[in-house]
Amino acid sequence: MIPSDAMLASLRPAPAGRLLIVLEPLSHPELAPIRIHETLFAIGRTEAPFDAYPAALAADLSRRHARIFCEGGAVYFAELGSKNGSSVNGVPVRQAIAMLRDGDVLGLGKTLRYRVHLEPEALQPPPARLASLTLAPEHPEAELQPIVVTEFPFLVSKGDDTFARYRDANPAQVNYLSRRHAHIFVKGGRLHVEDLGSTNGTFVNGTRLDEHAVALHDGDVLAFGGRHFVYRVGMQWDAAAQDPTLTRIGVQAAGRTPGAEADRTTFVATADSFLDIFCVEPPAVPEGAPAPASAPVDDAPARARGWLRRLRRHHWAIAAAVVVAVLAGALLRIGSPERRVEDLLADGAYAQAATVAAEALAHDPDNGRLQAMGSEALLKARLPAWMAQLKAGRFGPAAATVGAMRRQAGRNPELAPLLDELDWIVALQSFVAVRGGAQAPVRDAADAARIRQFLQQWEARNEAYQRGFVTMAAHVPAFRDTYADALSNVRGLALAGSAA
């Protein structure tokens, strides 16, 4: 089989260097094109250049509408639960991540539409680069370890060991953090921090962040969730030039990091994934425990007390009814299956969370929130073992793992296409191993027919597999390497087939 131009285009590696992303206005051609040079671009009515749009157009966007980011040579659009929504090629994208390709039409809100252009851009390295970030605890009595970050972006999460290690000593303080609390990233060669809509907030020099990312400077005081996780910012720079927007910044030896004792310091030398950072999953109830006065929490009982005070003069009976209803609703949500699954996910008990979600879906099969959390739990519980089996060439056990996942998925329709993709990857990698490599010469007619079958499957299911990749990599970032291996083998089979 000679691969089609469309197939070869889908297999073509990303161009060298970084991508220039251009958003060409379609619905309002009088607007200037938006040229994005950074790996992370914020979309919102108070963000540039949207804040300079006519008021009627800017109002169509939410303050924290969406993000565009680059990772692994691809470009992604993350919708952050905006009021008026977004779309890619006319397909609604609500609180999800979609891959962007050259020529796509991106819709923001009800009226703004843009044509996406992706162009290779030559690297222009800066004169210096950030070698590491040190977060030194501001309050010795908190007994926190310094944090040295050498790879970006860095996700602040109560589920990550960087902060979860304090759960036994200070469980309430850890619960002030959200699972996706904030992230620190490089933009234009400068370090920035952005709150991810956390319950208890992120603070720079005592000021709570809103929807904007802000630049960090040496000596800034950075706090997450209140008064406990408070750090003084220190940056170490190297003179070597490098692309300022690369996710990997470079590792500085522990002994060279000022103020950091290796045995009493948390070193973060692995970058987090923007796919995970912007995988938005609105909780059934706000995450985190009530915060101190410096970080107010919007919890249901507090709202009820506020309503009672406002209505006390004239509507005692109505106010009391409101309080009872709100408190009752809060209590019901605390014991709900959604909350149980969410708590288990936050604690890293993925297998148990998957079981609870599957049992709950048997009684509530149309619960979208349970479906999303059940998918996350099952993937995090089972996918790492499946990837290890695949890497070791244990294709039988890998197929059996997918079968077990399928049985446990039960009535979760979100998981069916993902498990189909995993089955296809097992079959592909097994076939490539048996034939001695993807680019090995075609042996006979049966071998050629099998190659055609895999290439036809890839061409027919390309869009679905790309969507599945985004979902699975968002929950288990290491899946990106497994998917890249599979894609490399498809590319090799295409070349072998064209040479036959």
Side-chain angles (χ1 to χ4, degrees):
M1 173 185 180
I2 298 177
S4 67
D5 291 341
M7 183 190 303
L8 290 176
S10 72
L11 299 174
R12 194 169 293 123
R18 66 186 182 194
L19 286 172
L20 170 65
I21 306 165
V22 180
L23 302 183
E24 174 195 357
L26 296 179
S27 55
H28 295 273
E30 71 277 9
L31 300 174
I34 301 173
R35 302 175 69 84
I36 303 171
H37 300 269
E38 308 293 347
T39 52
L40 180 63
F41 175 72
I43 296 173
R45 66 171 178 261
T46 60
E47 302 281 358
F50 308 101
D51 57 351
Y53 279 14
L57 293 182
D60 200 41
L61 301 175
S62 296
R63 295 174 68 86
R64 194 168 182 270
H65 194 102
R67 298 291 185 266
I68 293 175
F69 62 89
C70 302
E71 187 160 292
V75 178
Y76 299 93
F77 175 78
E79 222 285 345
L80 303 181
S82 65
K83 179 181 178 181
N84 292 323
S86 306
S87 65
V88 176
N89 297 324
V91 178
V93 179
R94 295 304 299 263
Q95 294 182 299
I97 294 176
M99 184 179 292
L100 294 179
R101 295 176 177 81
D102 188 64
D104 282 350
V105 175
L106 176 63
L108 302 176
K110 298 177 181 178
T111 62
L112 293 170
R113 290 189 303 120
Y114 301 85
R115 177 80 63 187
V116 177
H117 298 287
L118 305 181
E119 305 170 5
E121 183 178 38
L123 298 180
Q124 298 294 332
R129 69 179 182 93
L130 180 67
S132 65
L133 162 71
T134 298
L135 299 178
E138 184 74 354
H139 305 306
E141 64 275 12
E143 298 183 347
L144 302 176
Q145 290 187 356
I147 302 171
V148 176
V149 185
T150 58
E151 303 259 355
F152 298 90
F154 169 59
L155 174 64
V156 176
S157 168
K158 71 178 180 182
D160 187 85
D161 187 59
T162 303
F163 299 94
R165 68 178 64 224
Y166 304 109
R167 188 176 294 279
D168 290 340
N170 294 287
Q173 298 295 341
V174 173
N175 283 334
Y176 288 151
L177 303 179
S178 298
R179 286 200 298 129
R180 291 183 179 90
H181 193 101
H183 72 120
I184 299 173
F185 63 99
V186 177
K187 178 180 179 181
R190 299 181 64 187
L191 208 59
H192 289 70
V193 61
E194 179 183 23
D195 186 82
L196 296 171
S198 67
T199 299
N200 295 320
T202 301
F203 302 79
V204 176
N205 299 325
T207 300
R208 183 167 182 165
L209 302 186
D210 51 18
E211 67 277 2
H212 294 287
V214 302
L216 290 173
H217 306 86
D218 268 314
D220 281 349
V221 176
L222 182 58
F224 306 109
R227 299 194 185 105
H228 187 76
F229 292 106
V230 183
Y231 301 89
R232 179 78 60 175
V233 172
M235 302 181 198
Q236 294 75 48
W237 297 85
D238 280 350
Q242 196 172 54
D243 177 9
T245 61
L246 289 178
T247 299
R248 295 182 62 86
I249 297 298
V251 179
Q252 182 174 8
R256 294 175 55 203
T257 304
E261 299 180 38
D263 59 341
R264 297 181 182 178
T265 301
T266 301
F267 290 94
V268 181
T270 302
D272 287 301
S273 167
F274 282 128
L275 289 170
D276 188 46
I277 289 170
F278 291 110
C279 182
V280 179
E281 297 170 6
V285 295
E287 292 187 87
S294 61
V297 178
D298 182 21
D299 66 293
R303 291 198 303 272
R305 290 192 297 270
W307 294 337
L308 177 58
R309 286 194 297 270
R310 289 193 296 271
L311 296 172
R312 181 173 292 161
R313 292 183 180 177
H314 303 291
H315 303 284
W316 283 91
I318 296 175
V322 169
V323 172
V324 171
V326 173
L327 289 176
L331 289 174
L332 285 174
R333 288 196 300 271
I334 289 173
S336 69
E338 293 94 331
R339 183 56 187 263
R340 288 182 60 201
V341 175
E342 183 178 296
D343 287 342
L344 290 168
L345 283 171
D347 292 337
Y350 303 130
Q352 188 177 353
T355 299
V356 173
E359 292 173 350
L361 283 170
H363 302 287
D364 189 7
D366 297 325
N367 189 320
R369 174 67 177 149
L370 274 174
Q371 291 174 6
M373 291 194 297
S375 298
E376 176 184 357
L378 190 59
L379 291 171
K380 287 184 174 179
R382 296 274 197 163
L383 201 55
W386 176 85
M387 291 187 298
Q389 292 164 342
L390 198 68
K391 186 174 182 179
R394 302 176 63 228
F395 303 113
T401 296
V402 179
M405 294 172 70
R406 200 177 293 278
R407 290 189 295 273
Q408 190 171 357
R411 299 191 180 186
N412 190 343
E414 283 197 4
L415 281 165
L418 307 183
L419 299 178
D420 290 343
E421 183 170 352
L422 297 184
D423 272 331
W424 181 80
I425 291 176
V426 172
L428 169 70
Q429 302 297 65
S430 175
F431 171 68
V432 168
V434 169
R435 73 184 306 272
Q439 297 189 49
V442 177
R443 296 173 296 183
D444 49 34
D447 189 36
R450 192 77 171 120
I451 290 175
R452 284 197 300 273
Q453 180 183 14
F454 278 110
L455 296 180
Q456 288 167 353
Q457 288 173 340
W458 168 260
E459 191 166 21
R461 305 172 187 172
N462 176 265
E463 292 293 332
Y465 285 169
Q466 293 283 17
R467 290 193 298 270
F469 157 70
V470 170
T471 299
M472 288 187 276
H475 296 312
V476 183
F479 180 72
R480 288 173 293 171
D481 295 333
T482 300
Y483 187 81
D485 288 342
L487 187 61
S488 176
N489 282 333
V490 173
R491 188 181 298 115
L493 290 177
L495 293 173
S498 64

